[in-house]
Structures are given as structure tokens and as C-alpha cells.
Amino acid sequence: MKTERLDVTPRGIDRAAEILSSGGIVAIPTETVYGLAADATDEAALHRVFAAKGRPQDNPLIVHIAEIDTLKVLAREIPSAAFRLAERFWPGPLTMVLKRTDATAKTVSAGLDTVAIRMPDHPVAQAVIRAGVPLAAPSANTSGSPSPTTAHHVLHDLDGKIDGVLMGDECAVGVESTVVDLSSTPPRLLRPGGVSAEELREILPDLVLDKAILVEPEQGAKVASPGMKYKHYAPKTTSFLVEGTSAQFVDYVNQKKNGAALCFSEEAALLTVPHLCYGSAQDESELAHNLFSALREVDGLGAKEIYIHAPEKSGVGLAVYNRLIRAAAFQVIAL
Ligand code: TXA
Ligand code: MG
């Protein structure tokens, strides 16, 4: 299949909408990561999304909307907190899991009684949604590899497997949306993301953090968010997540003959092993923004092992930590 490169012009957006309404699948930029979109009511198109990504069938998709009224079409028994969250954080990097109606295809929810919904804060994503139907869109990467934050990443993984890519800019946030489950009480944070747990607590004081965020789910365990149980974001090189101060990290990694580092920019000048920086220790948004590009590049350092300096687990840092602990297959070194 030839993957059409579409400009982010009214013409390119119309073409994307046309492909989507005829059952095709198109990658679109959002403020978090690129998504691989399909009509959320079209079973055949949704199956093509799972096939192109190599995604396990039991991992449900997020439905992307452009108008708040669509929420009531897709979900039922919506708690008032959902509207307060929407008012505060939409459009933006927040996904709400709610009880589903029959408005979307069953494949979207992978057999669950709930549906995940978000309103992206990106003019191109919004224009494509407005031109047609609600779109189901997982991240536009091969399952298991880092999510794509550039159109180039999308093509690296999916060229020839999807109908088109809207060739937008680099994604601003860089990590995927925060997923919060409001379908039961208390509300539960399933995946940390661009909206922090601290911000959510201002509206959801009883929010609980799902333990799968920071702990490896046991083999065969049932997890609230199916996506959390899969190996994810992993470079090919064996990776370790290292916790400690900059001085400890630099000392430790400099002793590793076959090692390389994914470090904070403050540490670069002190490292004697090959390294890549993903931002300042002081700036968790910068770390989030650069994270997935860096994870795609670390194999190029040519080392046997990669030591990744872990960020603080607060604010957006929790989302970065959550992705890194998966990239490192839960191998954590506490200095
Ligand atoms: O920022 C994002 O959320 C991006 C952009 C494209 O919008 N999308 C994204 O989709 O990250 P994906 O498919 O890569 O991740 C969706 C996550 C998965 O962990 C999945 O298990 C979870 O959301 N999820 C989806 N529907 C769910 C549901 N009904 N209940 C629980 N978890 C759900
Ligand atoms: Mg994904």
C-alpha cells in the first residue's frame, strides 16, 4: 500500500477526512503524540488499525471528539466531575473513561463496558474530527516501540501499512494523555500524562493512583487499563532506570565500560561514556517533550547497556517515569 503524505492544509485535511470516511486509516498530529485514526463506528477500519500496529486485540482505543456534546452521545451515566474536568482540561491531554453507549463499534472498547474519550488541543486533529465522525486513535507507532512525536517517526514505523499521514509539526507535549477512570468510584488514574495527578486532585480530591503506574503487573493479572500490561517504549538496547542524584548517576555510569547514558543536560559535560540528553532535571515538560525521540535514538549510541536517569515522580515527571520504567522493562537501580 502507498502511504499518502498529506500537507496540513485545508486540502490535505479534506483528503484525510475523505480517506477516513471511506474506511481508511490516517495518522494525525495531536498535541500529545501522533494518533492513528479510524472511524470509531467502522469495525473493519478499526481492525486495520490493530493490524497495522500489531496491537493486542484486548487493548481498547481512545475516541477523539471536537465538541463537548459528543460526550453525551458516546457515554452514559456521566458523573458531574466529568463535566468539571472537561471544562478545566479540554481541549487538552486528558482522557476520561466512562460507561459506554452503543454509539461506537465494540472493537473500540475491546469488549469492556466503558469507552475512553478525549478532546485533543490541536487545530489539525480538531479539523479532521469536525470534517467527519468521532475518531478512534491509538498512538501511531508499532506496538511496543516509543510513541511517535514527529511525522517521521510515524513513517519509520508504519510507511506502507496505513493510507495516509498528515505531515504536521513535532508534538508539543510529547507524552500521551492522562487517562482517568470515572466509570466507578473512587476515580482512578490509569495512566499519568500531560495533565498531572496534582492538577486532577483539584477537581477529584479522592483520586487513587492505579498501582500498575509504577509497579510491574504480575503475569496474567487483570489490569484496569489493558495497555499497562504490555512491554512498551523499549529501545533494542538493554536499558536500566537509575534513581539518584546527578553526582551519584555520573559516578555510577562513568564506571560502565560498555554503557551509555540517557541523562539530564546538566550532566553531559561530566560523563565520559557516550550519552544523549533529554532535557534539564529542572524542567519536566522539556523531559516529556524530548522523551520519545530520545528513546528512538539511544540505540544509535552503540552501547550494550543504556542507563537512564530517572526524573522526579511529581507533576508531568510521573508520566515520564511511567514511560521510562516500561522502557527499562522494570529494571530499576536505586543508588
Ligand atoms: O495522547 C493520547 O492519548 C494518544 C493520542 C493519539 O490521543 N493516544 C494514545 O492511545 O496514547 P493509545 O491507544 O496508545 O493508549 C490508550 C490507553 C491504553 O493504555 C489503553 O489501554 C487505555 O488508554 N484505554 C483505552 N480505553 C480504555 C478503557 N475503556 N478502559 C481503560 N483503559 C482504556
Ligand atoms: Mg500507545
Side-chain angles (χ1 to χ4, degrees):
M1 170 194 314
K2 174 129 176 54
T3 300
E4 289 181 40
R5 276 78 167 151
L6 304 168
D7 294 333
V8 289
T9 55
R11 212 174 136 185
I13 289 167
D14 284 349
R15 175 69 188 138
E18 183 182 59
I19 296 172
L20 288 162
S21 65
S22 56
I25 58 177
V26 179
I28 60 171
T30 83
E31 80 280 23
T32 57
V33 301
Y34 275 73
L36 178 56
D39 176 347
T41 65
D42 182 339
E43 288 283 2
L46 295 164
H47 281 116
R48 291 187 56 210
V49 167
F50 280 84
K53 282 178 60 76
R55 185 178 178 99
Q57 292 292 337
D58 68 347
N59 195 3
L61 308 180
I62 296 171
V63 181
H64 295 67
I65 64 174
E67 313 290 344
I68 188 75
D69 288 346
T70 315
L71 190 61
K72 295 183 201 143
V73 178
L74 303 179
R76 64 195 158 85
E77 297 172 40
I78 305 172
S80 60
F83 294 102
R84 293 203 299 278
L85 288 169
E87 196 168 308
R88 168 89 187 268
F89 297 111
W90 278 0
L94 177 69
T95 295
M96 297 193 239
V97 173
L98 296 161
K99 291 201 177 125
R100 71 184 286 269
T101 64
D102 288 330
T104 46
K106 287 212 169 70
T107 302
V108 167
S109 295
L112 301 173
D113 187 35
T114 54
V115 61
I117 305 168
R118 109 169 171 95
M119 188 188 289
D121 185 17
H122 193 291
V124 175
Q126 287 179 1
V128 179
I129 299 164
R130 288 215 172 90
V133 284
L135 297 175
S139 49
N141 54 306
T142 301
S143 257
S145 66
S147 293
T149 53
T150 66
H152 175 77
H153 294 160
V154 175
L155 289 168
H156 176 272
D157 283 15
L158 300 177
D159 197 8
K161 297 182 176 172
I162 62 178
D163 298 297
V165 184
L166 271 164
M167 303 291 291
D169 292 336
E170 193 179 346
C171 302
V173 177
V175 291
E176 306 91 335
S177 62
T178 302
V179 180
V180 62
D181 185 357
L182 299 171
S183 69
S184 57
T185 43
R188 179 174 292 267
L189 180 65
L190 300 181
R191 180 177 74 180
V195 172
S196 70
E198 293 86 341
E199 287 173 304
L200 284 179
R201 283 222 168 86
E202 290 169 20
I203 290 173
L204 303 172
D206 53 344
L207 180 74
V208 295
L209 267 54
D210 197 84
K211 67 177 191 313
I213 291 173
L214 293 174
V215 179
E216 183 171 20
E218 278 167 37
Q219 280 287 323
K222 192 170 180 303
V223 296
S225 183
M228 282 295 172
K229 72 182 181 218
Y230 296 108
K231 190 173 176 196
H232 246 111
Y233 313 118
K236 295 196 174 59
T237 317
T238 306
S239 303
F240 299 89
L241 188 58
V242 183
E243 294 179 342
T245 63
S246 273
Q248 288 171 323
F249 179 78
V250 167
D251 277 353
Y252 180 79
V253 177
N254 279 345
Q255 290 164 32
K256 300 284 176 188
K257 278 211 187 65
N258 298 315
L262 181 54
C263 64
F264 301 137
S265 33
E266 293 85 352
E267 295 155 356
L270 304 167
L271 284 163
T272 54
V273 296
H275 56 269
L276 254 177
C277 301
Y278 69 117
S280 166
Q282 311 302 323
D283 187 349
E284 63 206 22
S285 298
E286 185 186 19
L287 297 173
H289 177 82
N290 293 325
L291 177 71
F292 289 140
S293 280
L295 286 176
R296 283 176 180 261
E297 285 163 24
V298 288
D299 289 325
L301 291 170
K304 281 223 171 78
E305 289 153 0
I306 306 285
Y307 296 89
I308 306 170
H309 200 169
E312 297 291 334
K313 296 186 205 98
S314 55
V316 178
L318 181 65
V320 176
Y321 190 102
N322 168 268
R323 307 311 188 268
L324 285 173
I325 200 171
R326 284 167 173 75
F330 293 92
Q331 304 196 85
V332 179
I333 298 167
L335 298 177

